Amino acid sequence: MKKIFVIALAAAAMLSSCGNDDKTTWDEYAEWREANNAWMAEMQAKKNADGTPYYTTVVPEWNPGTYVLIHYLTDRAETEGNLSPIYTSTVDTRYTLYLYDGTPADSSDLLTSNGPGVYRTKLNAVVQGWAIALPEMRCGDSAEVIVPYSAGYGSSSIGDIKPYSALHFHIRLVDIPYYEKPPYTK
């Protein structure tokens, strides 16, 4: 009986501390989170000179509760017919990541293992925002992609990236070295 009480007490302490950490992170980064959310709303409302939306909002069928904003920096007519990755593909990209305030946070220029500045990854192994945006791109496309924190790192911090950070990427889809079909497709 004493063992059960000790285990129950330890479990209650662990659950209690987990809840407090989330609350503390939420409260501690409230100003940062609100600034990121305000910036996301500003980017969603951004217009071209002719009044059309600057960004296209992409909502995946597999998660209609999230989205990314995408603006192509290259002429899509030039990449017409080029391959687009699927969720199980391995892609080669070049990217630069900025925080909402313009602070540089990461870049593929720091990598050399798959060629100078090339980042190779499976789409299902990165932040959800990439898994939403990259299937919309074709090899050769460059795009500005904005990922809300809910489709990025969420309440986690990664290096210099604070919790609740919107992620502002400049991405070029260089290649799809492994275009892997899922086993359930024809």
Side-chain angles (χ1 to χ4, degrees), residues 25-40 98-103 105 149 154 156-157 160-167:
T25 302
W26 181 261
D27 292 341
E28 181 180 349
Y29 290 95
E31 189 175 320
W32 177 258
R33 185 183 65 253
E34 290 164 10
N36 276 269
N37 287 339
W39 181 76
M40 284 297 303
Y98 302 92
L99 302 181
Y100 90 93
D101 60 2
T103 304
Y149 71 78
S156 299
S157 63
D160 293 336
I161 303 170
K162 297 177 186 177
Y164 310 110
S165 290
L167 307 174

PDB file of all heavy atoms in Angstrom, residues 25-40 98-103 105 149 154 156-157 160-167:
ATOM      1  N   THR A  25       5.970  28.811 -19.626  1.00  0.00           N
ATOM      2  CA  THR A  25       6.421  29.115 -20.980  1.00  0.00           C
ATOM      3  C   THR A  25       5.395  30.001 -21.681  1.00  0.00           C
ATOM      4  O   THR A  25       5.748  30.994 -22.316  1.00  0.00           O
ATOM      5  CB  THR A  25       6.647  27.821 -21.793  1.00  0.00           C
ATOM      6  OG1 THR A  25       7.608  27.020 -21.115  1.00  0.00           O
ATOM      7  CG2 THR A  25       7.134  28.123 -23.189  1.00  0.00           C
ATOM      8  N   TRP A  26       4.131  29.669 -21.563  1.00  0.00           N
ATOM      9  CA  TRP A  26       3.053  30.459 -22.172  1.00  0.00           C
ATOM     10  C   TRP A  26       3.101  31.897 -21.661  1.00  0.00           C
ATOM     11  O   TRP A  26       3.045  32.847 -22.433  1.00  0.00           O
ATOM     12  CB  TRP A  26       1.713  29.802 -21.872  1.00  0.00           C
ATOM     13  CG  TRP A  26       0.544  30.510 -22.474  1.00  0.00           C
ATOM     14  CD1 TRP A  26      -0.295  31.375 -21.846  1.00  0.00           C
ATOM     15  CD2 TRP A  26       0.073  30.406 -23.826  1.00  0.00           C
ATOM     16  NE1 TRP A  26      -1.250  31.820 -22.709  1.00  0.00           N
ATOM     17  CE2 TRP A  26      -1.050  31.245 -23.940  1.00  0.00           C
ATOM     18  CE3 TRP A  26       0.502  29.700 -24.938  1.00  0.00           C
ATOM     19  CZ2 TRP A  26      -1.767  31.382 -25.127  1.00  0.00           C
ATOM     20  CZ3 TRP A  26      -0.225  29.838 -26.119  1.00  0.00           C
ATOM     21  CH2 TRP A  26      -1.329  30.674 -26.199  1.00  0.00           C
ATOM     22  N   ASP A  27       3.206  32.045 -20.350  1.00  0.00           N
ATOM     23  CA  ASP A  27       3.243  33.382 -19.749  1.00  0.00           C
ATOM     24  C   ASP A  27       4.553  34.107 -20.054  1.00  0.00           C
ATOM     25  O   ASP A  27       4.547  35.295 -20.377  1.00  0.00           O
ATOM     26  CB  ASP A  27       3.066  33.287 -18.225  1.00  0.00           C
ATOM     27  CG  ASP A  27       1.669  32.833 -17.840  1.00  0.00           C
ATOM     28  OD1 ASP A  27       0.749  32.935 -18.666  1.00  0.00           O
ATOM     29  OD2 ASP A  27       1.509  32.357 -16.700  1.00  0.00           O
ATOM     30  N   GLU A  28       5.661  33.403 -19.945  1.00  0.00           N
ATOM     31  CA  GLU A  28       6.970  34.016 -20.144  1.00  0.00           C
ATOM     32  C   GLU A  28       7.134  34.579 -21.554  1.00  0.00           C
ATOM     33  O   GLU A  28       7.754  35.625 -21.751  1.00  0.00           O
ATOM     34  CB  GLU A  28       8.070  32.979 -19.882  1.00  0.00           C
ATOM     35  CG  GLU A  28       9.468  33.520 -20.039  1.00  0.00           C
ATOM     36  CD  GLU A  28      10.538  32.465 -19.770  1.00  0.00           C
ATOM     37  OE1 GLU A  28      10.215  31.370 -19.260  1.00  0.00           O
ATOM     38  OE2 GLU A  28      11.705  32.743 -20.083  1.00  0.00           O
ATOM     39  N   TYR A  29       6.562  33.906 -22.545  1.00  0.00           N
ATOM     40  CA  TYR A  29       6.706  34.326 -23.928  1.00  0.00           C
ATOM     41  C   TYR A  29       5.434  34.979 -24.477  1.00  0.00           C
ATOM     42  O   TYR A  29       5.260  35.063 -25.697  1.00  0.00           O
ATOM     43  CB  TYR A  29       7.123  33.133 -24.804  1.00  0.00           C
ATOM     44  CG  TYR A  29       8.538  32.709 -24.504  1.00  0.00           C
ATOM     45  CD1 TYR A  29       8.810  31.689 -23.602  1.00  0.00           C
ATOM     46  CD2 TYR A  29       9.612  33.371 -25.096  1.00  0.00           C
ATOM     47  CE1 TYR A  29      10.111  31.319 -23.313  1.00  0.00           C
ATOM     48  CE2 TYR A  29      10.918  33.013 -24.813  1.00  0.00           C
ATOM     49  CZ  TYR A  29      11.157  31.987 -23.925  1.00  0.00           C
ATOM     50  OH  TYR A  29      12.452  31.631 -23.641  1.00  0.00           O
ATOM     51  N   ALA A  30       4.587  35.474 -23.612  1.00  0.00           N
ATOM     52  CA  ALA A  30       3.315  36.086 -24.048  1.00  0.00           C
ATOM     53  C   ALA A  30       3.547  37.254 -25.000  1.00  0.00           C
ATOM     54  O   ALA A  30       2.915  37.338 -26.063  1.00  0.00           O
ATOM     55  CB  ALA A  30       2.501  36.535 -22.843  1.00  0.00           C
ATOM     56  N   GLU A  31       4.445  38.146 -24.675  1.00  0.00           N
ATOM     57  CA  GLU A  31       4.701  39.312 -25.527  1.00  0.00           C
ATOM     58  C   GLU A  31       5.275  38.873 -26.882  1.00  0.00           C
ATOM     59  O   GLU A  31       4.866  39.367 -27.935  1.00  0.00           O
ATOM     60  CB  GLU A  31       5.667  40.263 -24.824  1.00  0.00           C
ATOM     61  CG  GLU A  31       5.835  41.593 -25.527  1.00  0.00           C
ATOM     62  CD  GLU A  31       6.708  42.552 -24.720  1.00  0.00           C
ATOM     63  OE1 GLU A  31       6.590  42.598 -23.479  1.00  0.00           O
ATOM     64  OE2 GLU A  31       7.521  43.252 -25.365  1.00  0.00           O
ATOM     65  N   TRP A  32       6.214  37.944 -26.871  1.00  0.00           N
ATOM     66  CA  TRP A  32       6.810  37.418 -28.094  1.00  0.00           C
ATOM     67  C   TRP A  32       5.746  36.728 -28.952  1.00  0.00           C
ATOM     68  O   TRP A  32       5.662  36.935 -30.164  1.00  0.00           O
ATOM     69  CB  TRP A  32       7.943  36.456 -27.742  1.00  0.00           C
ATOM     70  CG  TRP A  32       8.596  35.802 -28.908  1.00  0.00           C
ATOM     71  CD1 TRP A  32       8.399  34.517 -29.362  1.00  0.00           C
ATOM     72  CD2 TRP A  32       9.554  36.379 -29.805  1.00  0.00           C
ATOM     73  NE1 TRP A  32       9.172  34.268 -30.460  1.00  0.00           N
ATOM     74  CE2 TRP A  32       9.897  35.396 -30.760  1.00  0.00           C
ATOM     75  CE3 TRP A  32      10.162  37.627 -29.891  1.00  0.00           C
ATOM     76  CZ2 TRP A  32      10.801  35.613 -31.783  1.00  0.00           C
ATOM     77  CZ3 TRP A  32      11.077  37.843 -30.916  1.00  0.00           C
ATOM     78  CH2 TRP A  32      11.388  36.858 -31.844  1.00  0.00           C
ATOM     79  N   ARG A  33       4.922  35.898 -28.319  1.00  0.00           N
ATOM     80  CA  ARG A  33       3.868  35.163 -29.021  1.00  0.00           C
ATOM     81  C   ARG A  33       2.879  36.135 -29.664  1.00  0.00           C
ATOM     82  O   ARG A  33       2.526  35.997 -30.842  1.00  0.00           O
ATOM     83  CB  ARG A  33       3.155  34.228 -28.039  1.00  0.00           C
ATOM     84  CG  ARG A  33       2.122  33.324 -28.666  1.00  0.00           C
ATOM     85  CD  ARG A  33       1.400  32.464 -27.640  1.00  0.00           C
ATOM     86  NE  ARG A  33       0.615  33.278 -26.732  1.00  0.00           N
ATOM     87  CZ  ARG A  33       0.921  33.521 -25.464  1.00  0.00           C
ATOM     88  NH1 ARG A  33       2.008  33.002 -24.929  1.00  0.00           N
ATOM     89  NH2 ARG A  33       0.153  34.274 -24.712  1.00  0.00           N
ATOM     90  N   GLU A  34       2.472  37.149 -28.919  1.00  0.00           N
ATOM     91  CA  GLU A  34       1.519  38.134 -29.439  1.00  0.00           C
ATOM     92  C   GLU A  34       2.124  38.924 -30.606  1.00  0.00           C
ATOM     93  O   GLU A  34       1.434  39.205 -31.591  1.00  0.00           O
ATOM     94  CB  GLU A  34       1.056  39.057 -28.318  1.00  0.00           C
ATOM     95  CG  GLU A  34       0.161  38.343 -27.315  1.00  0.00           C
ATOM     96  CD  GLU A  34      -0.019  39.091 -25.998  1.00  0.00           C
ATOM     97  OE1 GLU A  34       0.401  40.268 -25.903  1.00  0.00           O
ATOM     98  OE2 GLU A  34      -0.585  38.491 -25.069  1.00  0.00           O
ATOM     99  N   ALA A  35       3.403  39.264 -30.518  1.00  0.00           N
ATOM    100  CA  ALA A  35       4.070  39.979 -31.610  1.00  0.00           C
ATOM    101  C   ALA A  35       4.143  39.097 -32.854  1.00  0.00           C
ATOM    102  O   ALA A  35       3.920  39.571 -33.978  1.00  0.00           O
ATOM    103  CB  ALA A  35       5.469  40.425 -31.175  1.00  0.00           C
ATOM    104  N   ASN A  36       4.433  37.812 -32.676  1.00  0.00           N
ATOM    105  CA  ASN A  36       4.470  36.875 -33.796  1.00  0.00           C
ATOM    106  C   ASN A  36       3.085  36.725 -34.430  1.00  0.00           C
ATOM    107  O   ASN A  36       2.953  36.723 -35.652  1.00  0.00           O
ATOM    108  CB  ASN A  36       4.999  35.509 -33.340  1.00  0.00           C
ATOM    109  CG  ASN A  36       6.503  35.449 -33.330  1.00  0.00           C
ATOM    110  OD1 ASN A  36       7.115  35.073 -34.318  1.00  0.00           O
ATOM    111  ND2 ASN A  36       7.115  35.844 -32.222  1.00  0.00           N
ATOM    112  N   ASN A  37       2.059  36.602 -33.595  1.00  0.00           N
ATOM    113  CA  ASN A  37       0.694  36.473 -34.112  1.00  0.00           C
ATOM    114  C   ASN A  37       0.268  37.732 -34.874  1.00  0.00           C
ATOM    115  O   ASN A  37      -0.366  37.646 -35.923  1.00  0.00           O
ATOM    116  CB  ASN A  37      -0.294  36.181 -32.981  1.00  0.00           C
ATOM    117  CG  ASN A  37      -0.171  34.759 -32.463  1.00  0.00           C
ATOM    118  OD1 ASN A  37       0.337  33.876 -33.144  1.00  0.00           O
ATOM    119  ND2 ASN A  37      -0.636  34.532 -31.247  1.00  0.00           N
ATOM    120  N   ALA A  38       0.623  38.902 -34.354  1.00  0.00           N
ATOM    121  CA  ALA A  38       0.283  40.161 -35.028  1.00  0.00           C
ATOM    122  C   ALA A  38       0.997  40.239 -36.377  1.00  0.00           C
ATOM    123  O   ALA A  38       0.408  40.660 -37.386  1.00  0.00           O
ATOM    124  CB  ALA A  38       0.646  41.350 -34.147  1.00  0.00           C
ATOM    125  N   TRP A  39       2.256  39.831 -36.419  1.00  0.00           N
ATOM    126  CA  TRP A  39       3.012  39.838 -37.671  1.00  0.00           C
ATOM    127  C   TRP A  39       2.402  38.870 -38.677  1.00  0.00           C
ATOM    128  O   TRP A  39       2.295  39.186 -39.864  1.00  0.00           O
ATOM    129  CB  TRP A  39       4.480  39.501 -37.395  1.00  0.00           C
ATOM    130  CG  TRP A  39       5.336  39.511 -38.614  1.00  0.00           C
ATOM    131  CD1 TRP A  39       5.808  40.603 -39.277  1.00  0.00           C
ATOM    132  CD2 TRP A  39       5.810  38.372 -39.326  1.00  0.00           C
ATOM    133  NE1 TRP A  39       6.558  40.206 -40.364  1.00  0.00           N
ATOM    134  CE2 TRP A  39       6.578  38.842 -40.410  1.00  0.00           C
ATOM    135  CE3 TRP A  39       5.678  36.998 -39.150  1.00  0.00           C
ATOM    136  CZ2 TRP A  39       7.202  37.996 -41.317  1.00  0.00           C
ATOM    137  CZ3 TRP A  39       6.305  36.147 -40.050  1.00  0.00           C
ATOM    138  CH2 TRP A  39       7.047  36.638 -41.112  1.00  0.00           C
ATOM    139  N   MET A  40       1.992  37.683 -38.221  1.00  0.00           N
ATOM    140  CA  MET A  40       1.344  36.712 -39.112  1.00  0.00           C
ATOM    141  C   MET A  40       0.080  37.315 -39.718  1.00  0.00           C
ATOM    142  O   MET A  40      -0.157  37.184 -40.923  1.00  0.00           O
ATOM    143  CB  MET A  40       0.985  35.420 -38.355  1.00  0.00           C
ATOM    144  CG  MET A  40       2.131  34.492 -38.061  1.00  0.00           C
ATOM    145  SD  MET A  40       2.961  33.787 -39.505  1.00  0.00           S
ATOM    146  CE  MET A  40       1.650  32.983 -40.381  1.00  0.00           C
ATOM    147  N   TYR A  98      14.493  33.274 -41.118  1.00  0.00           N
ATOM    148  CA  TYR A  98      14.468  34.495 -40.322  1.00  0.00           C
ATOM    149  C   TYR A  98      13.320  34.404 -39.327  1.00  0.00           C
ATOM    150  O   TYR A  98      12.339  33.719 -39.572  1.00  0.00           O
ATOM    151  CB  TYR A  98      14.218  35.727 -41.216  1.00  0.00           C
ATOM    152  CG  TYR A  98      15.233  35.902 -42.302  1.00  0.00           C
ATOM    153  CD1 TYR A  98      15.024  35.353 -43.570  1.00  0.00           C
ATOM    154  CD2 TYR A  98      16.405  36.614 -42.076  1.00  0.00           C
ATOM    155  CE1 TYR A  98      15.963  35.509 -44.571  1.00  0.00           C
ATOM    156  CE2 TYR A  98      17.349  36.779 -43.081  1.00  0.00           C
ATOM    157  CZ  TYR A  98      17.114  36.218 -44.330  1.00  0.00           C
ATOM    158  OH  TYR A  98      18.040  36.366 -45.320  1.00  0.00           O
ATOM    159  N   LEU A  99      13.456  35.113 -38.229  1.00  0.00           N
ATOM    160  CA  LEU A  99      12.348  35.257 -37.294  1.00  0.00           C
ATOM    161  C   LEU A  99      11.474  36.409 -37.769  1.00  0.00           C
ATOM    162  O   LEU A  99      11.836  37.147 -38.682  1.00  0.00           O
ATOM    163  CB  LEU A  99      12.880  35.498 -35.885  1.00  0.00           C
ATOM    164  CG  LEU A  99      13.800  34.396 -35.347  1.00  0.00           C
ATOM    165  CD1 LEU A  99      14.255  34.723 -33.937  1.00  0.00           C
ATOM    166  CD2 LEU A  99      13.104  33.037 -35.389  1.00  0.00           C
ATOM    167  N   TYR A 100      10.332  36.599 -37.143  1.00  0.00           N
ATOM    168  CA  TYR A 100       9.381  37.610 -37.601  1.00  0.00           C
ATOM    169  C   TYR A 100       9.987  39.010 -37.639  1.00  0.00           C
ATOM    170  O   TYR A 100       9.618  39.840 -38.468  1.00  0.00           O
ATOM    171  CB  TYR A 100       8.113  37.595 -36.736  1.00  0.00           C
ATOM    172  CG  TYR A 100       8.181  38.512 -35.547  1.00  0.00           C
ATOM    173  CD1 TYR A 100       7.702  39.820 -35.633  1.00  0.00           C
ATOM    174  CD2 TYR A 100       8.757  38.101 -34.352  1.00  0.00           C
ATOM    175  CE1 TYR A 100       7.786  40.685 -34.550  1.00  0.00           C
ATOM    176  CE2 TYR A 100       8.844  38.954 -33.278  1.00  0.00           C
ATOM    177  CZ  TYR A 100       8.361  40.245 -33.384  1.00  0.00           C
ATOM    178  OH  TYR A 100       8.450  41.105 -32.312  1.00  0.00           O
ATOM    179  N   ASP A 101      10.941  39.283 -36.767  1.00  0.00           N
ATOM    180  CA  ASP A 101      11.534  40.620 -36.685  1.00  0.00           C
ATOM    181  C   ASP A 101      12.735  40.798 -37.614  1.00  0.00           C
ATOM    182  O   ASP A 101      13.433  41.800 -37.563  1.00  0.00           O
ATOM    183  CB  ASP A 101      11.930  40.945 -35.245  1.00  0.00           C
ATOM    184  CG  ASP A 101      12.960  39.977 -34.665  1.00  0.00           C
ATOM    185  OD1 ASP A 101      13.409  39.055 -35.386  1.00  0.00           O
ATOM    186  OD2 ASP A 101      13.318  40.151 -33.491  1.00  0.00           O
ATOM    187  N   GLY A 102      12.980  39.815 -38.490  1.00  0.00           N
ATOM    188  CA  GLY A 102      14.079  39.910 -39.449  1.00  0.00           C
ATOM    189  C   GLY A 102      15.399  39.339 -38.970  1.00  0.00           C
ATOM    190  O   GLY A 102      16.378  39.321 -39.710  1.00  0.00           O
ATOM    191  N   THR A 103      15.441  38.841 -37.741  1.00  0.00           N
ATOM    192  CA  THR A 103      16.662  38.249 -37.203  1.00  0.00           C
ATOM    193  C   THR A 103      16.974  36.937 -37.920  1.00  0.00           C
ATOM    194  O   THR A 103      16.131  36.038 -37.954  1.00  0.00           O
ATOM    195  CB  THR A 103      16.504  37.967 -35.687  1.00  0.00           C
ATOM    196  OG1 THR A 103      16.164  39.160 -35.026  1.00  0.00           O
ATOM    197  CG2 THR A 103      17.764  37.364 -35.097  1.00  0.00           C
ATOM    198  N   ALA A 105      18.075  33.245 -38.343  1.00  0.00           N
ATOM    199  CA  ALA A 105      18.074  32.175 -37.351  1.00  0.00           C
ATOM    200  C   ALA A 105      18.793  30.919 -37.826  1.00  0.00           C
ATOM    201  O   ALA A 105      19.291  30.143 -37.010  1.00  0.00           O
ATOM    202  CB  ALA A 105      16.641  31.837 -36.942  1.00  0.00           C
ATOM    203  N   TYR A 149       3.705  29.551 -35.743  1.00  0.00           N
ATOM    204  CA  TYR A 149       4.384  28.719 -34.735  1.00  0.00           C
ATOM    205  C   TYR A 149       3.722  27.367 -34.548  1.00  0.00           C
ATOM    206  O   TYR A 149       4.384  26.384 -34.257  1.00  0.00           O
ATOM    207  CB  TYR A 149       4.555  29.455 -33.407  1.00  0.00           C
ATOM    208  CG  TYR A 149       3.323  29.691 -32.577  1.00  0.00           C
ATOM    209  CD1 TYR A 149       2.765  28.684 -31.802  1.00  0.00           C
ATOM    210  CD2 TYR A 149       2.716  30.944 -32.523  1.00  0.00           C
ATOM    211  CE1 TYR A 149       1.648  28.898 -31.022  1.00  0.00           C
ATOM    212  CE2 TYR A 149       1.607  31.175 -31.743  1.00  0.00           C
ATOM    213  CZ  TYR A 149       1.068  30.151 -30.995  1.00  0.00           C
ATOM    214  OH  TYR A 149      -0.038  30.373 -30.220  1.00  0.00           O
ATOM    215  N   GLY A 154       6.256  25.244 -32.343  1.00  0.00           N
ATOM    216  CA  GLY A 154       5.274  25.342 -31.279  1.00  0.00           C
ATOM    217  C   GLY A 154       5.819  26.015 -30.042  1.00  0.00           C
ATOM    218  O   GLY A 154       6.432  27.074 -30.113  1.00  0.00           O
ATOM    219  N   SER A 156       8.212  24.923 -28.206  1.00  0.00           N
ATOM    220  CA  SER A 156       9.601  24.526 -27.961  1.00  0.00           C
ATOM    221  C   SER A 156      10.556  25.601 -28.468  1.00  0.00           C
ATOM    222  O   SER A 156      10.250  26.324 -29.395  1.00  0.00           O
ATOM    223  CB  SER A 156       9.923  23.226 -28.693  1.00  0.00           C
ATOM    224  OG  SER A 156       9.096  22.186 -28.246  1.00  0.00           O
ATOM    225  N   SER A 157      11.723  25.657 -27.839  1.00  0.00           N
ATOM    226  CA  SER A 157      12.776  26.526 -28.355  1.00  0.00           C
ATOM    227  C   SER A 157      13.843  25.625 -28.975  1.00  0.00           C
ATOM    228  O   SER A 157      14.140  24.551 -28.462  1.00  0.00           O
ATOM    229  CB  SER A 157      13.367  27.402 -27.254  1.00  0.00           C
ATOM    230  OG  SER A 157      13.973  26.612 -26.267  1.00  0.00           O
ATOM    231  N   ASP A 160      18.515  29.421 -31.206  1.00  0.00           N
ATOM    232  CA  ASP A 160      18.137  30.820 -30.998  1.00  0.00           C
ATOM    233  C   ASP A 160      16.663  31.085 -31.282  1.00  0.00           C
ATOM    234  O   ASP A 160      16.206  32.218 -31.178  1.00  0.00           O
ATOM    235  CB  ASP A 160      18.986  31.732 -31.897  1.00  0.00           C
ATOM    236  CG  ASP A 160      20.447  31.739 -31.486  1.00  0.00           C
ATOM    237  OD1 ASP A 160      20.742  31.453 -30.300  1.00  0.00           O
ATOM    238  OD2 ASP A 160      21.307  32.026 -32.352  1.00  0.00           O
ATOM    239  N   ILE A 161      15.928  30.056 -31.663  1.00  0.00           N
ATOM    240  CA  ILE A 161      14.515  30.216 -31.983  1.00  0.00           C
ATOM    241  C   ILE A 161      13.700  30.041 -30.702  1.00  0.00           C
ATOM    242  O   ILE A 161      13.701  28.970 -30.097  1.00  0.00           O
ATOM    243  CB  ILE A 161      14.064  29.210 -33.053  1.00  0.00           C
ATOM    244  CG1 ILE A 161      14.922  29.376 -34.305  1.00  0.00           C
ATOM    245  CG2 ILE A 161      12.586  29.377 -33.365  1.00  0.00           C
ATOM    246  CD1 ILE A 161      14.743  28.289 -35.331  1.00  0.00           C
ATOM    247  N   LYS A 162      13.017  31.110 -30.305  1.00  0.00           N
ATOM    248  CA  LYS A 162      12.230  31.089 -29.071  1.00  0.00           C
ATOM    249  C   LYS A 162      10.921  30.322 -29.279  1.00  0.00           C
ATOM    250  O   LYS A 162      10.464  30.169 -30.416  1.00  0.00           O
ATOM    251  CB  LYS A 162      11.880  32.524 -28.661  1.00  0.00           C
ATOM    252  CG  LYS A 162      13.068  33.387 -28.347  1.00  0.00           C
ATOM    253  CD  LYS A 162      12.602  34.800 -28.035  1.00  0.00           C
ATOM    254  CE  LYS A 162      13.780  35.734 -27.846  1.00  0.00           C
ATOM    255  NZ  LYS A 162      13.353  37.108 -27.613  1.00  0.00           N
ATOM    256  N   PRO A 163      10.295  29.893 -28.179  1.00  0.00           N
ATOM    257  CA  PRO A 163       8.967  29.288 -28.301  1.00  0.00           C
ATOM    258  C   PRO A 163       7.997  30.271 -28.959  1.00  0.00           C
ATOM    259  O   PRO A 163       8.137  31.480 -28.805  1.00  0.00           O
ATOM    260  CB  PRO A 163       8.561  29.027 -26.845  1.00  0.00           C
ATOM    261  CG  PRO A 163       9.845  28.970 -26.091  1.00  0.00           C
ATOM    262  CD  PRO A 163      10.767  29.919 -26.794  1.00  0.00           C
ATOM    263  N   TYR A 164       7.032  29.741 -29.680  1.00  0.00           N
ATOM    264  CA  TYR A 164       5.960  30.515 -30.321  1.00  0.00           C
ATOM    265  C   TYR A 164       6.475  31.410 -31.442  1.00  0.00           C
ATOM    266  O   TYR A 164       5.892  32.449 -31.729  1.00  0.00           O
ATOM    267  CB  TYR A 164       5.168  31.324 -29.293  1.00  0.00           C
ATOM    268  CG  TYR A 164       4.713  30.494 -28.129  1.00  0.00           C
ATOM    269  CD1 TYR A 164       5.263  30.670 -26.862  1.00  0.00           C
ATOM    270  CD2 TYR A 164       3.775  29.484 -28.300  1.00  0.00           C
ATOM    271  CE1 TYR A 164       4.878  29.876 -25.793  1.00  0.00           C
ATOM    272  CE2 TYR A 164       3.378  28.682 -27.238  1.00  0.00           C
ATOM    273  CZ  TYR A 164       3.934  28.891 -25.990  1.00  0.00           C
ATOM    274  OH  TYR A 164       3.551  28.103 -24.940  1.00  0.00           O
ATOM    275  N   SER A 165       7.555  31.002 -32.097  1.00  0.00           N
ATOM    276  CA  SER A 165       8.117  31.798 -33.182  1.00  0.00           C
ATOM    277  C   SER A 165       7.498  31.443 -34.526  1.00  0.00           C
ATOM    278  O   SER A 165       7.468  30.273 -34.917  1.00  0.00           O
ATOM    279  CB  SER A 165       9.628  31.575 -33.280  1.00  0.00           C
ATOM    280  OG  SER A 165      10.295  32.139 -32.187  1.00  0.00           O
ATOM    281  N   ALA A 166       7.040  32.457 -35.243  1.00  0.00           N
ATOM    282  CA  ALA A 166       6.687  32.286 -36.647  1.00  0.00           C
ATOM    283  C   ALA A 166       8.011  32.169 -37.403  1.00  0.00           C
ATOM    284  O   ALA A 166       8.998  32.798 -37.033  1.00  0.00           O
ATOM    285  CB  ALA A 166       5.890  33.488 -37.138  1.00  0.00           C
ATOM    286  N   LEU A 167       8.040  31.343 -38.418  1.00  0.00           N
ATOM    287  CA  LEU A 167       9.264  31.084 -39.162  1.00  0.00           C
ATOM    288  C   LEU A 167       9.124  31.657 -40.571  1.00  0.00           C
ATOM    289  O   LEU A 167       8.167  31.340 -41.284  1.00  0.00           O
ATOM    290  CB  LEU A 167       9.530  29.578 -39.224  1.00  0.00           C
ATOM    291  CG  LEU A 167       9.534  28.849 -37.877  1.00  0.00           C
ATOM    292  CD1 LEU A 167       9.662  27.341 -38.085  1.00  0.00           C
ATOM    293  CD2 LEU A 167      10.631  29.376 -36.975  1.00  0.00           C
TER     294      LEU A 167
END
